[in-house]
Amino acid sequence: MTEDFHAEDGSSPVAEAVLPLPLEFEALYLANQEAFHSYAFIQLGSNGAAEDAVHRAFLEILRHWDALLEESNLQQQTWAILRRVVISQTLEAFRKRLVLLRSEIGLFQAMGNLPPRQFDAIVLRHVLQYDTKRISWYMGVTASTVDYHCRKAKERLEPAVATHIKTEGDRE
């Protein structure tokens, strides 16, 4: 499986298949990679998580490269992408830890089962206490959509809380 395949001229077909990156993108990467990694490391707390976040951020930047070149402040836009990726990765890690927690009312389990946008909105608003404007920026949706996701998440969480309240009432 690990045999080295070479063309008749000795070159590697895999190396030739790599597409060249735009020169400006490579320059942006070289200029920002260390700062991006430092920021992600501080936020995420581990080297591996920081590397994953920076890698995801640069893939996202590359995916939107042509549109980003039209922006008035490329640097500001790329940092915004990094921040969104780091927030996303933080929320995903929180979701995984939340499922492991035990709660008498089953709230953590119920939160872990929310659809991704509802989970993000409810955690950003009620756990991290972000305001609606900041949540809408992160999620890339309007303020009314943030409110909608929070409302729907609360509706999904109510049965877990209601069951606990009913059970507590029966014990008394």
Side-chain angles (χ1 to χ4, degrees):
M1 295 289 274
T2 60
E3 296 173 359
D4 195 12
F5 292 99
H6 294 282
E8 289 182 20
D9 65 357
S11 65
S12 172
V14 174
E16 292 174 10
V18 176
L19 299 176
L21 296 171
L23 186 58
E24 297 88 354
F25 175 82
E26 289 185 33
L28 179 93
Y29 175 84
L30 292 172
N32 291 287
Q33 189 279 333
E34 188 174 322
F36 278 23
H37 186 271
S38 295
Y39 175 82
F41 180 79
I42 289 168
Q43 298 295 321
L44 299 170
S46 80
N47 196 44
E51 287 178 6
D52 289 345
V54 171
H55 180 74
R56 284 180 47 212
F58 275 111
L59 287 175
E60 187 73 14
I61 291 166
L62 183 59
R63 197 176 90 192
H64 297 289
W65 186 246
D66 291 335
L68 287 168
L69 287 176
E70 296 175 10
E71 292 288 335
S72 61
N73 191 335
L74 176 67
Q75 191 67 22
Q76 181 181 28
Q77 296 302 318
T78 57
W79 272 95
I81 289 171
L82 174 68
R83 286 191 305 273
R84 285 183 181 121
V85 168
V86 168
I87 291 169
S88 173
Q89 197 158 317
T90 302
L91 286 169
E92 188 57 36
F94 180 71
R95 181 191 284 267
K96 289 176 183 175
R97 287 191 315 269
L98 196 61
V99 173
L100 300 175
L101 297 175
R102 295 288 173 227
S103 163
E104 289 182 22
I105 62 174
L107 181 60
F108 299 145
Q109 180 82 24
M111 283 179 67
N113 291 328
L114 287 172
R117 288 196 173 257
Q118 290 177 15
F119 178 83
D120 292 355
I122 205 83
V123 169
L124 291 169
R125 179 171 283 166
H126 295 287
V127 176
L128 299 177
Q129 299 183 353
Y130 287 180
D131 63 25
T132 302
K133 182 179 178 182
R134 188 171 181 187
I135 298 168
S136 67
W137 169 83
Y138 162 68
M139 294 181 68
V141 298
T142 64
S144 62
T145 302
V146 170
D147 293 339
Y148 171 80
H149 287 310
C150 287
R151 197 170 45 255
K152 288 299 181 183
K154 285 180 182 179
E155 288 173 9
R156 286 178 182 240
L157 296 174
E158 282 175 358
V161 175
T163 301
H164 173 70
I165 292 170
K166 184 177 184 317
T167 306
E168 285 294 311
D170 291 345
R171 289 184 198 164
E172 294 176 2

